Amino acid sequence: MTTATVTSTCRSFTSEAASETYTTGLKNAHALEQQAMQLMQRQLERYEHYPEVSQRLQQHIAETEQQIARLEELMHGLGADRSVLKDWATSIMGNLAAIGHSIMPDEILKNHFANHAFENFEIASYESLIAMAEATGKSGHVPALRKTLDEEQRMATWLREQTPAITLRYMQLYEQGRKADR
Ligand SMILES: [Fe+2]
C-alpha cells in the first residue's frame, strides 16, 4: 500500500486544457443559473398560498441576477465572447426543469423538491469552480465565486428547513378542499 497522498490543494495546472476546463465550468454555471431563473420565475405566481416561499424566491431571483452578472464578468475577463454564452447548451438541467413545468395537483411539492435539488447542484458546481480557479492560478476569481456559493448555501438551507411546513400547508389546503397547488 502506498503512503503517497495527493491533496487537491497542492496541485496547480498551467496547461491550455486546464484553462479550458475552467472556462467550460463557468459557462455551465451560467447556463445553470439561467435555467434556475426561468424555473423560479415560472413558479412565482403559483405560490399564492405560500407567501413566505414566494418572497424568498423573489429574493433569490434578485440574487441570481447578480450571480449571472458575476459569472459574465469572470468570463469576460478570460476573453469569452458574450455571444458564445447565448449559444451554450441549456439542457444540463432539463429533467429538473421539466419537473418545474408539471401541473400535477402536488405541483407545489414537486417544485419545492426541484428547487432544493437545483440549489444543491449549484453548490456542487461552485465548489468545483472554486477548486478549478485556485488550481489554474485564477485565485482572483475566488471571492466572487464564494459570494455566490454562500448565497446558494443559504437558499438550500432555507428550502430544506421549509420542507415540513410546506408539506403540512399543502396537506391542510388539500384537506379543506381548497386549491392547494398554488
Ligand atoms: Fe441558486
Side-chain angles (χ1 to χ4, degrees):
M1 190 175 163
T2 175
T3 53
T5 55
V6 179
T7 62
S8 60
T9 48
C10 68
R11 286 297 311 267
S12 75
F13 298 83
T14 52
S15 67
E16 187 73 18
S19 296
E20 262 175 44
T21 317
Y22 178 51
T23 310
T24 301
L26 288 172
K27 285 189 215 165
N28 285 338
H30 189 267
L32 180 65
E33 293 296 0
Q34 282 181 322
Q35 288 219 333
M37 184 75 112
Q38 284 172 17
L39 184 66
M40 290 187 291
Q41 280 168 339
R42 270 204 309 271
Q43 289 175 22
L44 266 187
E45 69 207 39
R46 299 177 193 164
Y47 279 98
E48 201 179 300
H49 293 303
Y50 306 78
E52 327 74 45
V53 181
S54 161
Q55 207 178 356
R56 188 63 177 90
L57 275 181
Q58 252 160 346
Q59 188 191 334
H60 198 59
I61 285 172
E63 284 173 343
T64 303
E65 279 169 7
Q66 293 305 307
Q67 294 168 359
I68 290 171
R70 252 174 243 142
L71 286 169
E72 287 178 354
E73 211 174 293
L74 297 183
M75 285 183 288
H76 206 57
L78 295 175
D81 192 325
R82 277 176 207 277
S83 63
V84 173
L85 295 176
K86 285 183 192 153
D87 299 336
W88 195 252
T90 54
S91 60
I92 332 167
M93 297 293 284
N95 290 336
L96 284 177
I99 298 172
H101 282 295
S102 158
I103 46 158
M104 302 298 284
D106 60 346
E107 175 194 13
I108 212 84
L109 295 182
K110 289 194 181 117
N111 278 340
H112 177 71
F113 303 156
N115 289 344
H116 193 189
F118 237 105
E119 294 308 322
N120 281 285
F121 196 102
E122 288 168 352
I123 287 168
S125 128
Y126 284 104
E127 282 174 343
S128 169
L129 283 174
I130 289 168
M132 284 184 196
E134 283 170 343
T136 56
K138 301 285 185 304
S139 51
H141 286 195
V142 173
L145 295 170
R146 220 173 264 294
K147 188 169 174 19
T148 298
L149 175 62
D150 285 349
E151 290 167 353
E152 307 299 25
Q153 280 169 335
R154 278 199 298 274
M155 184 63 173
T157 302
W158 189 87
L159 288 167
R160 195 180 67 233
E161 289 171 353
Q162 291 301 306
T163 303
I166 292 173
T167 304
L168 297 179
R169 171 86 56 88
Y170 170 77
M171 290 174 78
Q172 190 191 20
L173 290 168
Y174 194 84
E175 191 182 56
Q176 292 169 349
R178 288 166 69 187
K179 233 179 126 43
D181 63 334
R182 294 183 81 86

